[in-house]
Amino acid sequence: MSQLRTKGKSTIVWILMGLMVLGLGGFGVTSFSGGTTEVASVGQTKITADEYARALQSELRAFQQQTGQPITMQQAQAMGLPQSVQANLIASAALAEEARRIGVSVGDAQVAQTIMQAGAFQGPNGSFDRAAYAEVLRRERLSEAEFEATVRDDEARLMLQRAVVGGVTAPAPLVDQTARWLLESRDFSWRELTEDDLPAPVTEPDEATLRAWHEANGDRFTAPETRAISYAWATPDMLSATVQLDEAALRATYDQNIDQFQRPARRMVSRLVFPDAAQAEAARAQIDANEAPFEAFVLQRGLTLDDVDLGEVTEAQLGAAAEPVFALEQPGVVGPIQTDLGPALFAVNAILDPVDVPFEEARDDLRAEAALSAAARLIRDRTGDYEDILAGGATLEDLAEETELELGRIDWTADAPAEEGSIAGYEAFRERAAQISTTDFPQLAELADGGVFALRLDEVIPPTLRPFEEVRDAVLADWREAEVQRQLLAAAAELRLEEVAETVTPTPEVGAEPAADTLWTAETGLQRSDWMDGLPPQLLSQAFALTEPGDADVVDAGDRVFVVRLDQINDADLSQSDAAQVLDGVRARLNQSLQIDLFDYYARHAQRQTPVQLNQSAINAINAQVQ
């Protein structure tokens, strides 16, 4: 029933789902008059400033989590998010007012149970933690009385909801009809037409035709917006060759990362402990006889493979099992071996040889790695100098002349793939390049590998139709593709008429062999939810759009053309065992849909029957503070 409440997000939902823990600090909101200012009222039910602020912040956070992009209040207002939050709060308040009017309420015991079961207030042991409860309320500037009153109102709304939709079920004929529609299967045949099936080759167009095609389909031959950008940048890779490194520094790096160069032999091992030696011996015997694998005994004990996995272990870590485990020359099972936990079987999953790379062999790789690290530190140490130079009014050209940064220029488009080694391959550059305007001054920014850059937008070249002479080959290919598709659709339409006409021809004599037709592919017993590998989904959907056996249709799949012919409709048998699950699912979905609609109508009615007052100045003040 919880899904019925999605149209009116109540405060308790936001709080008890853990959103309160996040607070409002991330947006710079600190106070809204302690919740005393009203932003709206529905009858005698008030919506406070804090309630609106929390709901608005929750909606903004949810949007940012879904998109992965930050959102400003101006963008949120342009998308109507504040208005949506207000509508949800008003709908929720209207239901609370209706519950108050007709005397629906819950007792203290129900309020206490709801709070104690909320995950936001549970301690490490999974039970209600009084300290966590007090801390969350303190962060949200709520007293216990205020919060418990909110919980009581929300539970009353839930009780009202149950009373309105309780007992609402979908009619059985509707459930059966929907299930039959879902489970119906069809037999059909299809044939794909290709260019080889055309009666004549596609003739080459003349220049006038191509020029007309170029003009009529200009959007396909238009260069996207291009941004002419100058930039100065430096990366650790660019500066690594200039970094001076002594032997002592390389030796220190080697010693700091000795685990990468010196490691003993290891085994990837799983260990399964048994209650007694007899059971361990019996399991080993079955494994040796190939009657059951090691993994089967893990599952029999109610464990998972992760539960018994020891990971990479050395000989010194295995104790009594070390010698037999490391004696194996290939993966296998050893044991039983008596361990501190009891008799156990050890499965060796992989054999990892020792690693022994002396300093002399690692020197070149260490030099490259250490040089990159040193270059990154150099850039980081000089970032302040770069910023000071730009702040003093220097151009990118000046910056490149005075520092290690290199000057470059690029004609950048948002969708163009970046060349290897290009600055356009960095996400930070692409984000800045898309946002910068010609009036912005160059600012230093960081790259993901520790480099820095600054850029300047020199010119914005709007989308421009490429000259015909420049894209003639592309125009010809595009025209030809469209012409082939047009002719294939025409040929398919003729073939469809022929197939439909054949359904009224006399049937062959009894005993006559049917003519073989290798051009058509027959499919049998397919349902709407099936997938035809290597074929477009339109083929199956149009097969189910046909109404009578013998009907045929043309399938235009964009770059492929088919003719599909319906051979037989197979009615669903709802008495089959596999139909029961579908019937249950259909019944649940229809019940839920009816309940949602009914409660929505009730909520709308309750809202229309009660006067709504908005404090627009308070709403505007909160919107202005949310950043």
Side-chain angles (χ1 to χ4, degrees):
M1 295 293 293
S2 62
Q3 294 189 24
L4 298 180
R5 304 167 65 190
T6 57
K7 290 183 177 292
K9 295 180 181 176
S10 57
T11 305
I12 186 66
V13 174
W14 291 313
I15 295 176
L16 297 187
M17 290 303 290
L19 294 175
M20 286 187 66
V21 179
L22 297 177
L24 301 175
F27 292 87
V29 179
T30 57
S31 176
F32 293 100
S33 304
T36 58
T37 301
E38 298 172 9
V39 297
S41 64
V42 183
Q44 298 182 29
T45 301
K46 315 300 182 184
I47 302 173
T48 68
D50 276 348
E51 288 174 337
Y52 173 59
R54 278 191 290 269
L56 182 58
Q57 297 292 0
S58 174
E59 193 72 17
L60 292 174
R61 278 193 293 270
F63 182 87
Q64 290 182 162
Q65 290 173 354
Q66 291 173 0
T67 62
Q69 299 292 330
I71 179 174
T72 66
M73 193 57 200
Q74 290 74 17
Q75 293 171 324
Q77 289 176 317
M79 291 184 291
L81 291 185
Q83 293 83 351
S84 175
V85 170
Q86 295 163 30
N88 287 336
L89 288 173
I90 290 171
S92 181
L95 292 172
E97 176 66 12
E98 181 70 5
R100 184 202 63 79
R101 186 183 66 81
I102 63 179
V104 175
S105 185
V106 297
D108 294 341
Q110 180 61 45
V111 173
Q113 181 182 3
T114 300
I115 293 175
M116 295 182 70
Q117 292 177 348
F121 306 137
Q122 291 179 356
N125 61 356
S127 61
F128 177 75
D129 188 328
R130 181 75 188 180
Y133 178 57
E135 174 61 19
V136 171
L137 296 189
R138 184 193 65 79
R139 290 178 184 176
E140 295 304 317
R141 302 180 303 281
L142 283 172
S143 68
E144 291 188 11
E146 290 173 330
F147 178 64
E148 289 163 9
T150 301
V151 175
R152 193 183 308 275
D153 289 344
D154 194 64
E155 289 295 325
R157 285 192 291 268
L158 183 57
M159 184 182 298
L160 187 64
Q161 172 185 307
R162 293 190 181 115
V164 171
V165 303
V168 175
T169 58
L174 177 60
V175 174
D176 288 351
Q177 181 181 5
T178 305
R180 290 182 187 279
W181 184 85
L182 288 171
L183 294 175
E184 171 193 292
S185 67
R186 295 196 170 192
D187 302 342
F188 60 90
S189 301
W190 58 269
R191 175 181 170 183
E192 181 174 10
L193 276 67
T194 65
E195 188 173 354
D196 293 337
D197 296 311
L198 296 177
V202 176
T203 58
E204 292 297 312
D206 56 25
E207 288 296 298
T209 299
L210 287 181
R211 288 183 179 275
W213 187 262
H214 171 256
E215 183 177 348
N217 300 277
D219 57 317
R220 304 182 195 176
F221 312 108
T222 296
E225 177 186 274
T226 301
R227 301 188 137 219
I229 293 175
S230 296
Y231 61 89
W233 70 322
T235 67
D237 187 61
M238 293 164 59
L239 301 184
S240 61
T242 65
V243 174
Q244 299 297 322
L245 297 170
D246 56 23
E247 195 78 359
L250 295 180
R251 174 67 72 172
T253 302
Y254 177 83
D255 293 338
Q256 291 170 3
N257 299 276
I258 193 64
D259 288 344
Q260 299 179 17
F261 307 107
Q262 300 290 331
R263 279 181 287 178
R266 291 147 294 134
R267 301 292 185 266
M268 296 187 69
V269 176
S270 297
R271 179 187 61 194
L272 181 59
V273 180
F274 289 84
D276 54 58
Q279 293 187 41
E281 291 284 0
R284 175 63 190 274
Q286 293 186 55
I287 293 173
D288 291 344
N290 291 325
E291 296 177 359
F294 175 84
E295 293 77 11
F297 295 98
V298 174
L299 300 178
Q300 287 176 12
R301 301 290 304 282
L303 302 172
T304 66
L305 295 181
D306 288 339
D307 294 332
V308 300
D309 184 22
L310 299 182
E312 294 183 15
V313 293
T314 64
E315 192 168 0
Q317 294 173 314
L318 281 177
E323 183 176 351
V325 165
F326 275 78
L328 287 180
E329 296 182 356
Q330 60 183 2
V333 176
V334 299
I337 298 171
Q338 188 62 39
T339 69
D340 293 340
L341 300 176
L345 294 181
F346 289 79
V348 179
N349 304 313
I351 296 175
L352 305 178
D353 293 329
V355 176
D356 183 13
V357 180
F359 171 75
E360 290 72 20
E361 291 183 17
R363 181 187 286 109
D364 290 343
D365 291 338
L366 287 171
R367 185 180 301 279
E369 182 177 346
L372 286 175
S373 298
R377 289 195 300 271
L378 175 66
I379 293 173
R380 186 167 58 249
D381 292 342
R382 296 185 181 178
T383 294
D385 296 336
Y386 305 150
E387 291 176 332
D388 290 342
I389 293 173
L390 288 174
T395 65
L396 294 179
E397 289 76 8
D398 297 333
L399 179 65
E401 184 175 348
E402 298 178 28
T403 67
E404 301 83 6
L405 274 66
E406 296 182 5
L407 190 66
R409 188 181 183 283
I410 185 173
D411 291 332
W412 180 80
T413 59
D415 298 329
E419 297 180 4
E420 185 176 356
S422 168
I423 192 173
Y426 291 87
E427 180 65 25
F429 173 84
R430 294 194 299 271
E431 290 181 358
R432 181 62 178 157
Q435 298 171 358
I436 193 172
S437 69
T438 53
T439 58
D440 291 337
F441 292 100
Q443 294 182 343
L444 202 69
E446 294 183 1
L447 296 171
D449 60 358
V452 294
F453 73 99
L455 57 83
R456 178 185 67 228
L457 179 61
D458 298 325
E459 181 185 7
V460 177
I461 304 171
T464 306
L465 179 64
R466 293 188 175 100
F468 172 78
E469 291 75 12
E470 181 181 318
V471 293
R472 185 186 183 284
D473 291 343
V475 174
L476 174 59
D478 189 70
W479 176 92
R480 194 178 190 286
E481 180 180 344
E483 180 63 15
V484 169
Q485 186 75 359
R486 184 190 68 79
Q487 293 191 26
L488 286 176
L489 289 173
E494 294 182 6
L495 179 59
R496 170 190 171 276
L497 294 177
E498 293 175 4
E499 288 301 312
V500 172
E502 287 183 4
T503 62
V504 298
T505 58
T507 58
E509 297 181 5
V510 176
E513 290 291 335
D517 191 348
T518 60
L519 298 177
W520 290 80
T521 300
E523 307 285 353
T524 59
L526 266 65
Q527 294 182 339
R528 300 175 191 273
S529 58
D530 286 334
W531 173 259
M532 302 173 66
D533 190 31
L535 296 172
Q538 298 97 316
L539 182 59
L540 184 62
S541 63
Q542 287 190 230
F544 274 87
L546 298 172
T547 57
E548 296 291 339
D551 286 352
D553 200 2
V554 175
V555 180
D556 182 358
D559 58 347
R560 301 173 71 180
V561 174
F562 300 82
V563 177
V564 59
R565 180 187 66 219
L566 179 60
D567 298 328
Q568 183 173 317
I569 298 176
N570 307 309
D571 293 335
D573 184 359
L574 299 186
S575 64
Q576 296 292 326
S577 58
D578 58 351
Q581 185 176 358
V582 175
L583 282 167
D584 291 341
V586 168
R587 186 178 297 107
R589 291 292 297 272
L590 290 177
N591 287 348
Q592 184 183 70
S593 179
L594 289 173
Q595 292 166 359
I596 289 175
D597 290 342
L598 179 60
F599 191 69
D600 184 45
Y601 296 146
Y602 179 82
R604 292 173 185 268
H605 173 76
Q607 190 170 336
R608 285 195 299 267
Q609 298 304 308
T610 310
V612 177
Q613 300 292 331
L614 284 179
N615 184 349
Q616 193 61 50
S617 60
I619 292 174
N620 293 341
I622 295 174
N623 291 345
Q625 293 184 55
V626 175
Q627 300 295 334

